[in-house]
Amino acid sequence: MTFISDLRTVFWRRLDLQGLEKLDLSVTDDGVRATSTILSTEGAGFRLDYDWRLDARWRTKSLELKHLGEGIARHLLIERTAVGWLIDGLRRPDLDHVHDVDISATPFCNTLAIRQLGANPGDELTFDVIYVDAQSLSSVASRQRYIRKSGDVVRYVDLATALGFEADLRVDRDGFVVTYEGLFEQVRCS
């Protein structure tokens, strides 16, 4: 899947609670960089900033997260290396089978799987991820399935962390979520 533009800004709003994300994306021959700020009223409320570095195939090279909530600042660094995944510099062998990363508070992570999913209705992809809870910054292995229902609709099925959760995602031609059933929708700037 080729990308339509080398620079892009996307806004998403939460549908289940108050929250907003602004993502800035740049694409070069060497890879992709996504920087974002999420403001959420989930729990006691938090701000989450991330700097996501992807290779040219849209696979995570590194992801740095900065969380501010309840007056406490926390940091998390995830890196893909030749020997496996590192979380804050520590090797995590339990994540060796993982394909990529999923952050609970953003639909951007769905783009990474959707860009690998086939384009034909019925195409499926089972995708193992490092699931990062945006409030606690905890990280665990999780499994997801994506099923192409049509050119612009993908069914998401959680097979682990939120077992039984399913939602339809309407996506644009770049694989970005336009609507995520019950959770997110893109906001257009005028």
Side-chain angles (χ1 to χ4, degrees):
M1 176 184 282
T2 58
F3 196 68
I4 304 304
S5 172
D6 293 341
L7 298 171
R8 182 168 182 177
T9 298
V10 180
F11 288 88
W12 286 287
R13 74 177 183 98
R14 291 287 297 257
L15 300 175
D16 59 332
L17 51 84
Q18 292 182 353
L20 184 66
E21 175 176 5
K22 177 187 183 269
L23 174 122
D24 291 306
L25 188 97
S26 61
V27 179
T28 66
D29 291 339
D30 295 331
V32 179
R33 181 175 185 194
T35 56
S36 182
T37 297
I38 298 170
L39 300 174
S40 177
T41 60
E42 186 174 359
F46 63 88
R47 174 185 173 147
L48 181 69
D49 296 306
Y50 64 78
D51 187 350
W52 210 322
R53 307 290 177 113
L54 308 166
D55 65 19
R57 296 183 340 193
W58 287 68
R59 294 176 347 133
T60 297
K61 294 181 348 186
S62 68
L63 172 60
E64 182 176 16
L65 299 109
K66 295 176 182 176
H67 181 280
L68 180 60
E70 299 184 67
I72 300 169
R74 289 181 303 200
H75 178 266
L76 182 71
L77 177 62
I78 300 172
E79 300 170 281
R80 183 193 307 259
T81 70
V83 297
W85 291 97
L86 302 180
I87 307 289
D88 288 334
L90 301 174
R91 174 131 157 60
R92 289 277 303 268
D94 61 311
L95 303 174
D96 284 348
H97 66 288
V98 166
H99 298 101
D100 228 303
V101 182
D102 179 359
I103 305 171
S104 66
T106 178
F108 174 66
C109 47
N110 300 104
T111 300
L112 307 183
I114 290 166
R115 290 184 63 83
Q116 294 185 39
L117 178 63
N120 299 316
D123 285 347
E124 289 189 23
L125 173 68
T126 299
F127 204 68
D128 291 319
V129 296
I130 300 169
Y131 177 80
V132 178
D133 180 271
Q135 284 193 80
S136 66
L137 294 189
S138 62
S139 56
V140 297
S142 190
R143 178 168 278 191
Q144 306 168 344
R145 179 168 293 132
Y146 292 83
I147 305 161
R148 174 86 55 191
K149 292 176 73 174
S150 68
D152 69 343
V153 177
V154 173
R155 185 75 173 168
Y156 168 83
V157 180
D158 194 297
L159 301 172
T161 307
L163 185 62
F165 175 80
E166 298 187 21
D168 282 340
L169 314 178
R170 192 165 55 84
V171 299
D172 65 18
R173 60 187 170 184
D174 289 329
F176 284 85
V177 171
V178 175
T179 58
Y180 187 129
E181 184 180 2
L183 290 180
F184 301 98
E185 72 178 1
Q186 265 191 42
V187 178
R188 301 284 180 209
C189 294
S190 49

